[in-house]
Amino acid sequence: MNAIISASELADALRSERPPVLLDVRWQLSTAAASGQPFDGRAAYASGHIPGAVFVDLDRELASTPGPRGRHPLPDLDVFGAAMRRAGVSAGTPVVAYDGGIGWAAARAWWLLRWTGHPDVRVLDGGLPAWDGPLEAEAEAEAEAEASAPAEGDFVPKPAEGAVLDADGAAALARSGVLLDARAGERYRGEVEPIDPVGGHIPGALSAPTSDNVDADGRFRPAAELRARFGELGATRDVPVGVYCGSGVSAAHEVLALEVAGIPAALYVGSWSEWTSDPARPVAVGPDPQ
């Protein structure tokens, strides 16, 4: 099953006898919008969302409290499971996640559901900007609450083994397999670091910015192009592959791109924000992986 779905395919699926549960996961890395106010995904959802979608809060439901394990450590599974059931997610129900277009937040929801055992979850390719169907404001949804509110789901998260890397596992994979750094190249090289205390990368990791996985419209490049891109970095089905970023969000998008390319990959959830929380961990700078 393809891990992504086009807007036209989603429209057809929503008209089918077995429509998917829709998760609206709008979120931004930047804490402030152009207005100077913090981005509010809940408010964006309230102003207009795909009819029937349920808002999911990345910071509160798809991650736990920031700390030594990173800015977006794994969520408490009880909290995550409750959020998914509230949204109507059941083990046998298809799920589609979307965000404001960049795809990172939707990919985080996709990855968590796949990691915890859901067999049928996809990301809307291109996010909400790709959707040309009607939108529903929250007031309209509340007016039809009895008809549109999803029934409680039954999904219970059961994490898979081997899909998550810790700091030691990421360091080992950089030596024995392929560890991809999904951040922008200048952060990988240590030229700038706007968020974390130290710039650079995990020794042995290869620079593979997430932005190169999509076209100008934010849609994923064809699978063959993605396979060629990752193949040039040594990432194929024949070697173990892992991905990290700043805090395990954009790296989930790269894991999704690898999935589209047919290449399984593990996620270092703590990523650079966890790695740099321990000053004893080594840091490499410049374009050379080592």
Side-chain angles (χ1 to χ4, degrees), residues 235-248:
T236 69
R237 292 187 61 86
D238 300 324
V239 297
V241 177
V243 187
Y244 75 95
C245 59
S247 66

Side-chain angles (χ1 to χ4, degrees), residues 40-92:
D40 188 340
R42 186 69 177 75
Y45 166 84
S47 67
H49 53 269
I50 299 176
V54 176
F55 179 71
V56 175
D57 190 313
L58 186 148
D59 290 314
R60 293 178 175 84
E61 296 172 320
L62 305 185
S64 55
T65 305
R69 294 188 299 131
R71 285 192 307 280
H72 291 102
L74 288 172
D76 179 282
L77 289 181
D78 289 338
V79 172
F80 172 65
M84 294 299 99
R85 291 189 293 274
R86 171 185 60 82
V89 176
S90 292

Side-chain angles (χ1 to χ4, degrees), residues 3 17 27 33 57 68 128 131 146 178 183 191 205 208 211-212 217 221 234 236 251 256 265 283:
E17 295 181 356
W27 171 87
D57 190 313
L128 191 60
W131 175 256
E146 291 186 4
V178 175
R183 298 172 300 158
E191 297 166 359
S211 57
D212 291 346
D217 293 326
R221 298 188 183 280
T236 69
L256 175 56
V283 169

Side-chain angles (χ1 to χ4, degrees), residues 128-142:
L128 191 60
W131 175 256
D132 58 4
L135 295 179
E136 176 182 69
E138 189 165 46
E140 297 167 338
E142 290 175 350

Side-chain angles (χ1 to χ4, degrees), residues 74-75 77 80 111-118 155-164:
L74 288 172
L77 289 181
F80 172 65
W111 180 84
L112 279 167
L113 281 165
R114 291 294 302 274
W115 172 59
T116 54
H118 198 287
F155 179 70
V156 177
K158 297 178 181 178
E161 296 182 2
V164 177

Side-chain angles (χ1 to χ4, degrees), residues 179-198:
L179 181 65
L180 301 178
D181 185 317
R183 298 172 300 158
E186 58 269 24
R187 292 184 69 190
Y188 170 88
R189 296 187 295 271
E191 297 166 359
V192 298
E193 182 44 64
I195 305 173
D196 295 308
V198 179

